Amino acid sequence: MKRGLKSQQSSFTKLKTEQEAATRASFRVALEIAKRGKPFTDGEMIKECIIAVAEEMCPEKTYEWFSLALDESTDVSDTAQVLIYIRGVDKSYEVHEELLDMYSIHGTTTGRDIFKGVEMAINQKNLRWKNLKCITTDGGKNMSGKDKGVVALVSKAVENDGGSKPLVLHCIIHQQSLCGKCLDMSEVLKPVISTVNFIRSFGLNHRQFIEEIGENDLPYHTAVRWLSCGKVLQRFFELRAVIEIFLNEKHRPFTELQNNAWLWKLAFYVDLTKHANELNLRLQGENQHLPDLYTNIKSFRKKLILFQSQLRSKCFLHFKNVKYSATPLRLSFLSILQSKL
């Protein structure tokens, strides 16, 4: 455990050091250009020279084989952002992982549009298609379509370059998110989202609410963000007493907050989404390999079996919000929990 911690700390330290060194180097180059009265456009030529030298002096950055992970999502300005991550293996079998490129798509987001960006990134980094061994996507139609999806176009490019068809994987984190959506939480989530929107979407309401709580705000629920649901429910549950008073002052009573069965469901979903979010975070980060991801998924499935057994015996060891709620447990609600599990 100590060795693992030191390894993680050294990775962050190394990354920070490299970034600081790159920033200092860019300033020193800019200083030399200014001293000689040259235009700063010459800096692009100098950059190309440095890259050429680095490729010769640092051959370990030349990948013999590599895999790609693609993610396409829409930001707050409704612009599609495509992230391309690369994991490469050099001649010494050392693994390097980094963000290869990020680009914006302002028009359509078809498989062809995304592939053009991937192709541009591959060409800019002087990578060979035939060395691509695996590609991971979120499983969307524009990504995994058999004929016009990114996977199909990438596979065709690899085969045309003399390589074998790459292995195609579905993002495990996205799969976990999809499985989480199979649980119908609409009875709790819809009124919670409606209340949050009422407070957040009106400037006066929002300012008055902030004055009452005097601390962290209520977050919006964003379906595209995997951790959003749990965070919204957790914060709503913590502020439920203040929210009830605020809504009553606004003559918009929230009757569910007086319903013991509904409050139990809210507490249960807060705890359940907390466990799901913890799994999600364990699946993220650098240098994650399939055996590690599979182990996390397998252990979580074992946890679900344990949770089911404990709830049936009225044990709430792993459901803190349910355990410490003041309202006594009702057998009818226990049957609801068992049906959900």
PDB file of all heavy atoms in Angstrom, residues 75-103:
ATOM      1  N   ASP A  75     -21.263  20.238 -24.336  1.00  0.00           N
ATOM      2  CA  ASP A  75     -21.006  21.136 -23.217  1.00  0.00           C
ATOM      3  C   ASP A  75     -22.189  22.080 -23.002  1.00  0.00           C
ATOM      4  O   ASP A  75     -23.230  21.958 -23.652  1.00  0.00           O
ATOM      5  CB  ASP A  75     -19.701  21.911 -23.438  1.00  0.00           C
ATOM      6  CG  ASP A  75     -19.751  22.789 -24.686  1.00  0.00           C
ATOM      7  OD1 ASP A  75     -20.853  23.032 -25.213  1.00  0.00           O
ATOM      8  OD2 ASP A  75     -18.675  23.234 -25.139  1.00  0.00           O
ATOM      9  N   VAL A  76     -22.029  23.050 -22.098  1.00  0.00           N
ATOM     10  CA  VAL A  76     -23.125  23.941 -21.740  1.00  0.00           C
ATOM     11  C   VAL A  76     -23.531  24.863 -22.890  1.00  0.00           C
ATOM     12  O   VAL A  76     -24.629  25.419 -22.881  1.00  0.00           O
ATOM     13  CB  VAL A  76     -22.739  24.791 -20.512  1.00  0.00           C
ATOM     14  CG1 VAL A  76     -22.600  23.919 -19.277  1.00  0.00           C
ATOM     15  CG2 VAL A  76     -21.446  25.566 -20.769  1.00  0.00           C
ATOM     16  N   SER A  77     -22.662  25.040 -23.874  1.00  0.00           N
ATOM     17  CA  SER A  77     -22.988  25.881 -25.028  1.00  0.00           C
ATOM     18  C   SER A  77     -23.526  25.063 -26.196  1.00  0.00           C
ATOM     19  O   SER A  77     -23.573  25.553 -27.320  1.00  0.00           O
ATOM     20  CB  SER A  77     -21.742  26.658 -25.474  1.00  0.00           C
ATOM     21  OG  SER A  77     -20.723  25.772 -25.902  1.00  0.00           O
ATOM     22  N   ASP A  78     -23.906  23.787 -25.935  1.00  0.00           N
ATOM     23  CA  ASP A  78     -24.460  22.891 -26.949  1.00  0.00           C
ATOM     24  C   ASP A  78     -23.465  22.603 -28.070  1.00  0.00           C
ATOM     25  O   ASP A  78     -23.851  22.347 -29.217  1.00  0.00           O
ATOM     26  CB  ASP A  78     -25.756  23.464 -27.555  1.00  0.00           C
ATOM     27  CG  ASP A  78     -26.889  23.460 -26.547  1.00  0.00           C
ATOM     28  OD1 ASP A  78     -26.887  22.585 -25.670  1.00  0.00           O
ATOM     29  OD2 ASP A  78     -27.763  24.341 -26.630  1.00  0.00           O
ATOM     30  N   THR A  79     -22.191  22.646 -27.747  1.00  0.00           N
ATOM     31  CA  THR A  79     -21.137  22.299 -28.699  1.00  0.00           C
ATOM     32  C   THR A  79     -20.608  20.911 -28.375  1.00  0.00           C
ATOM     33  O   THR A  79     -20.288  20.620 -27.217  1.00  0.00           O
ATOM     34  CB  THR A  79     -19.985  23.313 -28.640  1.00  0.00           C
ATOM     35  OG1 THR A  79     -20.482  24.621 -28.926  1.00  0.00           O
ATOM     36  CG2 THR A  79     -18.899  22.969 -29.649  1.00  0.00           C
ATOM     37  N   ALA A  80     -20.529  20.064 -29.374  1.00  0.00           N
ATOM     38  CA  ALA A  80     -20.039  18.699 -29.158  1.00  0.00           C
ATOM     39  C   ALA A  80     -18.526  18.726 -28.967  1.00  0.00           C
ATOM     40  O   ALA A  80     -17.799  19.298 -29.787  1.00  0.00           O
ATOM     41  CB  ALA A  80     -20.415  17.816 -30.343  1.00  0.00           C
ATOM     42  N   GLN A  81     -18.059  18.128 -27.891  1.00  0.00           N
ATOM     43  CA  GLN A  81     -16.635  18.044 -27.600  1.00  0.00           C
ATOM     44  C   GLN A  81     -16.210  16.584 -27.659  1.00  0.00           C
ATOM     45  O   GLN A  81     -16.810  15.733 -27.003  1.00  0.00           O
ATOM     46  CB  GLN A  81     -16.324  18.626 -26.215  1.00  0.00           C
ATOM     47  CG  GLN A  81     -16.792  20.049 -25.997  1.00  0.00           C
ATOM     48  CD  GLN A  81     -16.002  21.061 -26.794  1.00  0.00           C
ATOM     49  OE1 GLN A  81     -14.959  20.739 -27.380  1.00  0.00           O
ATOM     50  NE2 GLN A  81     -16.481  22.303 -26.832  1.00  0.00           N
ATOM     51  N   VAL A  82     -15.183  16.302 -28.439  1.00  0.00           N
ATOM     52  CA  VAL A  82     -14.686  14.936 -28.605  1.00  0.00           C
ATOM     53  C   VAL A  82     -13.319  14.834 -27.952  1.00  0.00           C
ATOM     54  O   VAL A  82     -12.409  15.602 -28.278  1.00  0.00           O
ATOM     55  CB  VAL A  82     -14.591  14.538 -30.089  1.00  0.00           C
ATOM     56  CG1 VAL A  82     -14.058  13.114 -30.219  1.00  0.00           C
ATOM     57  CG2 VAL A  82     -15.957  14.654 -30.760  1.00  0.00           C
ATOM     58  N   LEU A  83     -13.180  13.898 -27.030  1.00  0.00           N
ATOM     59  CA  LEU A  83     -11.910  13.641 -26.359  1.00  0.00           C
ATOM     60  C   LEU A  83     -11.319  12.344 -26.891  1.00  0.00           C
ATOM     61  O   LEU A  83     -12.030  11.335 -27.028  1.00  0.00           O
ATOM     62  CB  LEU A  83     -12.100  13.546 -24.851  1.00  0.00           C
ATOM     63  CG  LEU A  83     -12.674  14.774 -24.137  1.00  0.00           C
ATOM     64  CD1 LEU A  83     -12.863  14.476 -22.657  1.00  0.00           C
ATOM     65  CD2 LEU A  83     -11.774  15.973 -24.325  1.00  0.00           C
ATOM     66  N   ILE A  84     -10.030  12.367 -27.177  1.00  0.00           N
ATOM     67  CA  ILE A  84      -9.332  11.185 -27.677  1.00  0.00           C
ATOM     68  C   ILE A  84      -8.189  10.883 -26.718  1.00  0.00           C
ATOM     69  O   ILE A  84      -7.245  11.676 -26.591  1.00  0.00           O
ATOM     70  CB  ILE A  84      -8.772  11.407 -29.095  1.00  0.00           C
ATOM     71  CG1 ILE A  84      -9.864  11.899 -30.040  1.00  0.00           C
ATOM     72  CG2 ILE A  84      -8.145  10.131 -29.626  1.00  0.00           C
ATOM     73  CD1 ILE A  84      -9.353  12.259 -31.419  1.00  0.00           C
ATOM     74  N   TYR A  85      -8.281   9.753 -26.035  1.00  0.00           N
ATOM     75  CA  TYR A  85      -7.221   9.315 -25.135  1.00  0.00           C
ATOM     76  C   TYR A  85      -6.428   8.194 -25.812  1.00  0.00           C
ATOM     77  O   TYR A  85      -6.995   7.370 -26.537  1.00  0.00           O
ATOM     78  CB  TYR A  85      -7.796   8.810 -23.809  1.00  0.00           C
ATOM     79  CG  TYR A  85      -8.407   9.889 -22.963  1.00  0.00           C
ATOM     80  CD1 TYR A  85      -9.755  10.208 -23.087  1.00  0.00           C
ATOM     81  CD2 TYR A  85      -7.634  10.593 -22.048  1.00  0.00           C
ATOM     82  CE1 TYR A  85     -10.319  11.211 -22.307  1.00  0.00           C
ATOM     83  CE2 TYR A  85      -8.204  11.597 -21.262  1.00  0.00           C
ATOM     84  CZ  TYR A  85      -9.543  11.890 -21.398  1.00  0.00           C
ATOM     85  OH  TYR A  85     -10.100  12.884 -20.635  1.00  0.00           O
ATOM     86  N   ILE A  86      -5.141   8.169 -25.542  1.00  0.00           N
ATOM     87  CA  ILE A  86      -4.286   7.145 -26.142  1.00  0.00           C
ATOM     88  C   ILE A  86      -3.494   6.441 -25.055  1.00  0.00           C
ATOM     89  O   ILE A  86      -3.049   7.072 -24.087  1.00  0.00           O
ATOM     90  CB  ILE A  86      -3.325   7.766 -27.189  1.00  0.00           C
ATOM     91  CG1 ILE A  86      -2.514   6.672 -27.889  1.00  0.00           C
ATOM     92  CG2 ILE A  86      -2.417   8.803 -26.552  1.00  0.00           C
ATOM     93  CD1 ILE A  86      -1.698   7.166 -29.066  1.00  0.00           C
ATOM     94  N   ARG A  87      -3.352   5.156 -25.193  1.00  0.00           N
ATOM     95  CA  ARG A  87      -2.465   4.361 -24.343  1.00  0.00           C
ATOM     96  C   ARG A  87      -1.533   3.608 -25.276  1.00  0.00           C
ATOM     97  O   ARG A  87      -1.981   2.794 -26.082  1.00  0.00           O
ATOM     98  CB  ARG A  87      -3.245   3.398 -23.462  1.00  0.00           C
ATOM     99  CG  ARG A  87      -2.346   2.478 -22.629  1.00  0.00           C
ATOM    100  CD  ARG A  87      -3.159   1.559 -21.741  1.00  0.00           C
ATOM    101  NE  ARG A  87      -3.757   2.272 -20.627  1.00  0.00           N
ATOM    102  CZ  ARG A  87      -4.672   1.756 -19.815  1.00  0.00           C
ATOM    103  NH1 ARG A  87      -5.123   0.543 -20.035  1.00  0.00           N
ATOM    104  NH2 ARG A  87      -5.161   2.471 -18.819  1.00  0.00           N
ATOM    105  N   GLY A  88      -0.248   3.913 -25.191  1.00  0.00           N
ATOM    106  CA  GLY A  88       0.718   3.326 -26.117  1.00  0.00           C
ATOM    107  C   GLY A  88       1.776   2.512 -25.408  1.00  0.00           C
ATOM    108  O   GLY A  88       2.069   2.712 -24.225  1.00  0.00           O
ATOM    109  N   VAL A  89       2.377   1.589 -26.158  1.00  0.00           N
ATOM    110  CA  VAL A  89       3.455   0.735 -25.661  1.00  0.00           C
ATOM    111  C   VAL A  89       4.665   0.929 -26.564  1.00  0.00           C
ATOM    112  O   VAL A  89       4.547   0.814 -27.789  1.00  0.00           O
ATOM    113  CB  VAL A  89       3.034  -0.752 -25.652  1.00  0.00           C
ATOM    114  CG1 VAL A  89       4.151  -1.618 -25.082  1.00  0.00           C
ATOM    115  CG2 VAL A  89       1.756  -0.941 -24.867  1.00  0.00           C
ATOM    116  N   ASP A  90       5.819   1.244 -25.972  1.00  0.00           N
ATOM    117  CA  ASP A  90       7.013   1.458 -26.774  1.00  0.00           C
ATOM    118  C   ASP A  90       7.806   0.164 -26.923  1.00  0.00           C
ATOM    119  O   ASP A  90       7.355  -0.918 -26.520  1.00  0.00           O
ATOM    120  CB  ASP A  90       7.874   2.565 -26.165  1.00  0.00           C
ATOM    121  CG  ASP A  90       8.316   2.238 -24.744  1.00  0.00           C
ATOM    122  OD1 ASP A  90       8.319   1.052 -24.377  1.00  0.00           O
ATOM    123  OD2 ASP A  90       8.664   3.173 -24.003  1.00  0.00           O
ATOM    124  N   LYS A  91       9.010   0.275 -27.494  1.00  0.00           N
ATOM    125  CA  LYS A  91       9.829  -0.911 -27.753  1.00  0.00           C
ATOM    126  C   LYS A  91      10.254  -1.613 -26.465  1.00  0.00           C
ATOM    127  O   LYS A  91      10.527  -2.813 -26.474  1.00  0.00           O
ATOM    128  CB  LYS A  91      11.064  -0.511 -28.556  1.00  0.00           C
ATOM    129  CG  LYS A  91      10.754  -0.043 -29.971  1.00  0.00           C
ATOM    130  CD  LYS A  91      12.031   0.315 -30.708  1.00  0.00           C
ATOM    131  CE  LYS A  91      11.718   0.769 -32.136  1.00  0.00           C
ATOM    132  NZ  LYS A  91      12.944   1.143 -32.888  1.00  0.00           N
ATOM    133  N   SER A  92      10.332  -0.850 -25.384  1.00  0.00           N
ATOM    134  CA  SER A  92      10.733  -1.433 -24.097  1.00  0.00           C
ATOM    135  C   SER A  92       9.533  -1.942 -23.299  1.00  0.00           C
ATOM    136  O   SER A  92       9.667  -2.256 -22.119  1.00  0.00           O
ATOM    137  CB  SER A  92      11.495  -0.384 -23.273  1.00  0.00           C
ATOM    138  OG  SER A  92      12.632   0.075 -23.968  1.00  0.00           O
ATOM    139  N   TYR A  93       8.381  -1.974 -23.935  1.00  0.00           N
ATOM    140  CA  TYR A  93       7.134  -2.427 -23.313  1.00  0.00           C
ATOM    141  C   TYR A  93       6.724  -1.547 -22.131  1.00  0.00           C
ATOM    142  O   TYR A  93       6.085  -2.014 -21.188  1.00  0.00           O
ATOM    143  CB  TYR A  93       7.248  -3.893 -22.866  1.00  0.00           C
ATOM    144  CG  TYR A  93       7.327  -4.851 -24.016  1.00  0.00           C
ATOM    145  CD1 TYR A  93       8.562  -5.298 -24.465  1.00  0.00           C
ATOM    146  CD2 TYR A  93       6.183  -5.296 -24.671  1.00  0.00           C
ATOM    147  CE1 TYR A  93       8.659  -6.168 -25.538  1.00  0.00           C
ATOM    148  CE2 TYR A  93       6.269  -6.164 -25.750  1.00  0.00           C
ATOM    149  CZ  TYR A  93       7.506  -6.593 -26.177  1.00  0.00           C
ATOM    150  OH  TYR A  93       7.599  -7.449 -27.246  1.00  0.00           O
ATOM    151  N   GLU A  94       7.096  -0.276 -22.191  1.00  0.00           N
ATOM    152  CA  GLU A  94       6.639   0.680 -21.200  1.00  0.00           C
ATOM    153  C   GLU A  94       5.341   1.320 -21.702  1.00  0.00           C
ATOM    154  O   GLU A  94       5.237   1.687 -22.868  1.00  0.00           O
ATOM    155  CB  GLU A  94       7.693   1.754 -20.944  1.00  0.00           C
ATOM    156  CG  GLU A  94       8.950   1.226 -20.280  1.00  0.00           C
ATOM    157  CD  GLU A  94       9.923   2.334 -19.932  1.00  0.00           C
ATOM    158  OE1 GLU A  94       9.542   3.514 -20.134  1.00  0.00           O
ATOM    159  OE2 GLU A  94      11.040   2.035 -19.481  1.00  0.00           O
ATOM    160  N   VAL A  95       4.376   1.449 -20.800  1.00  0.00           N
ATOM    161  CA  VAL A  95       3.055   1.948 -21.168  1.00  0.00           C
ATOM    162  C   VAL A  95       2.959   3.439 -20.843  1.00  0.00           C
ATOM    163  O   VAL A  95       3.319   3.872 -19.750  1.00  0.00           O
ATOM    164  CB  VAL A  95       1.945   1.180 -20.427  1.00  0.00           C
ATOM    165  CG1 VAL A  95       0.578   1.714 -20.807  1.00  0.00           C
ATOM    166  CG2 VAL A  95       2.044  -0.315 -20.749  1.00  0.00           C
ATOM    167  N   HIS A  96       2.474   4.210 -21.806  1.00  0.00           N
ATOM    168  CA  HIS A  96       2.254   5.643 -21.619  1.00  0.00           C
ATOM    169  C   HIS A  96       0.796   5.948 -21.929  1.00  0.00           C
ATOM    170  O   HIS A  96       0.242   5.438 -22.902  1.00  0.00           O
ATOM    171  CB  HIS A  96       3.158   6.465 -22.536  1.00  0.00           C
ATOM    172  CG  HIS A  96       4.613   6.147 -22.390  1.00  0.00           C
ATOM    173  ND1 HIS A  96       5.413   6.717 -21.430  1.00  0.00           N
ATOM    174  CD2 HIS A  96       5.414   5.293 -23.092  1.00  0.00           C
ATOM    175  CE1 HIS A  96       6.645   6.247 -21.542  1.00  0.00           C
ATOM    176  NE2 HIS A  96       6.668   5.389 -22.544  1.00  0.00           N
ATOM    177  N   GLU A  97       0.201   6.780 -21.102  1.00  0.00           N
ATOM    178  CA  GLU A  97      -1.219   7.112 -21.267  1.00  0.00           C
ATOM    179  C   GLU A  97      -1.392   8.617 -21.180  1.00  0.00           C
ATOM    180  O   GLU A  97      -0.872   9.254 -20.263  1.00  0.00           O
ATOM    181  CB  GLU A  97      -2.040   6.421 -20.179  1.00  0.00           C
ATOM    182  CG  GLU A  97      -3.532   6.658 -20.267  1.00  0.00           C
ATOM    183  CD  GLU A  97      -4.285   5.916 -19.191  1.00  0.00           C
ATOM    184  OE1 GLU A  97      -3.938   4.752 -18.918  1.00  0.00           O
ATOM    185  OE2 GLU A  97      -5.211   6.501 -18.611  1.00  0.00           O
ATOM    186  N   GLU A  98      -2.112   9.219 -22.132  1.00  0.00           N
ATOM    187  CA  GLU A  98      -2.289  10.663 -22.130  1.00  0.00           C
ATOM    188  C   GLU A  98      -3.467  11.051 -23.017  1.00  0.00           C
ATOM    189  O   GLU A  98      -4.010  10.223 -23.758  1.00  0.00           O
ATOM    190  CB  GLU A  98      -1.020  11.363 -22.616  1.00  0.00           C
ATOM    191  CG  GLU A  98      -0.573  10.931 -23.992  1.00  0.00           C
ATOM    192  CD  GLU A  98       0.763  11.554 -24.370  1.00  0.00           C
ATOM    193  OE1 GLU A  98       0.876  12.789 -24.231  1.00  0.00           O
ATOM    194  OE2 GLU A  98       1.665  10.814 -24.791  1.00  0.00           O
ATOM    195  N   LEU A  99      -3.850  12.328 -22.909  1.00  0.00           N
ATOM    196  CA  LEU A  99      -4.885  12.883 -23.773  1.00  0.00           C
ATOM    197  C   LEU A  99      -4.245  13.207 -25.115  1.00  0.00           C
ATOM    198  O   LEU A  99      -3.375  14.075 -25.203  1.00  0.00           O
ATOM    199  CB  LEU A  99      -5.489  14.137 -23.147  1.00  0.00           C
ATOM    200  CG  LEU A  99      -6.528  14.887 -23.985  1.00  0.00           C
ATOM    201  CD1 LEU A  99      -7.759  14.031 -24.225  1.00  0.00           C
ATOM    202  CD2 LEU A  99      -6.912  16.203 -23.311  1.00  0.00           C
ATOM    203  N   LEU A 100      -4.672  12.516 -26.166  1.00  0.00           N
ATOM    204  CA  LEU A 100      -4.092  12.717 -27.487  1.00  0.00           C
ATOM    205  C   LEU A 100      -4.576  14.012 -28.119  1.00  0.00           C
ATOM    206  O   LEU A 100      -3.787  14.791 -28.665  1.00  0.00           O
ATOM    207  CB  LEU A 100      -4.432  11.529 -28.399  1.00  0.00           C
ATOM    208  CG  LEU A 100      -3.883  11.591 -29.817  1.00  0.00           C
ATOM    209  CD1 LEU A 100      -2.362  11.535 -29.795  1.00  0.00           C
ATOM    210  CD2 LEU A 100      -4.440  10.442 -30.663  1.00  0.00           C
ATOM    211  N   ASP A 101      -5.880  14.280 -28.033  1.00  0.00           N
ATOM    212  CA  ASP A 101      -6.417  15.479 -28.675  1.00  0.00           C
ATOM    213  C   ASP A 101      -7.834  15.728 -28.171  1.00  0.00           C
ATOM    214  O   ASP A 101      -8.502  14.825 -27.655  1.00  0.00           O
ATOM    215  CB  ASP A 101      -6.433  15.313 -30.192  1.00  0.00           C
ATOM    216  CG  ASP A 101      -6.585  16.642 -30.920  1.00  0.00           C
ATOM    217  OD1 ASP A 101      -6.526  17.688 -30.247  1.00  0.00           O
ATOM    218  OD2 ASP A 101      -6.774  16.643 -32.149  1.00  0.00           O
ATOM    219  N   MET A 102      -8.281  16.963 -28.315  1.00  0.00           N
ATOM    220  CA  MET A 102      -9.657  17.345 -28.043  1.00  0.00           C
ATOM    221  C   MET A 102     -10.077  18.357 -29.099  1.00  0.00           C
ATOM    222  O   MET A 102      -9.336  19.302 -29.389  1.00  0.00           O
ATOM    223  CB  MET A 102      -9.803  17.967 -26.656  1.00  0.00           C
ATOM    224  CG  MET A 102     -11.245  18.350 -26.307  1.00  0.00           C
ATOM    225  SD  MET A 102     -11.407  19.214 -24.741  1.00  0.00           S
ATOM    226  CE  MET A 102     -10.808  20.836 -25.214  1.00  0.00           C
ATOM    227  N   TYR A 103     -11.215  18.139 -29.700  1.00  0.00           N
ATOM    228  CA  TYR A 103     -11.673  19.076 -30.723  1.00  0.00           C
ATOM    229  C   TYR A 103     -13.186  19.237 -30.640  1.00  0.00           C
ATOM    230  O   TYR A 103     -13.895  18.385 -30.109  1.00  0.00           O
ATOM    231  CB  TYR A 103     -11.253  18.609 -32.129  1.00  0.00           C
ATOM    232  CG  TYR A 103     -11.861  17.308 -32.576  1.00  0.00           C
ATOM    233  CD1 TYR A 103     -13.005  17.291 -33.377  1.00  0.00           C
ATOM    234  CD2 TYR A 103     -11.303  16.089 -32.216  1.00  0.00           C
ATOM    235  CE1 TYR A 103     -13.567  16.102 -33.783  1.00  0.00           C
ATOM    236  CE2 TYR A 103     -11.864  14.899 -32.628  1.00  0.00           C
ATOM    237  CZ  TYR A 103     -12.985  14.911 -33.416  1.00  0.00           C
ATOM    238  OH  TYR A 103     -13.552  13.719 -33.815  1.00  0.00           O
TER     239      TYR A 103
END
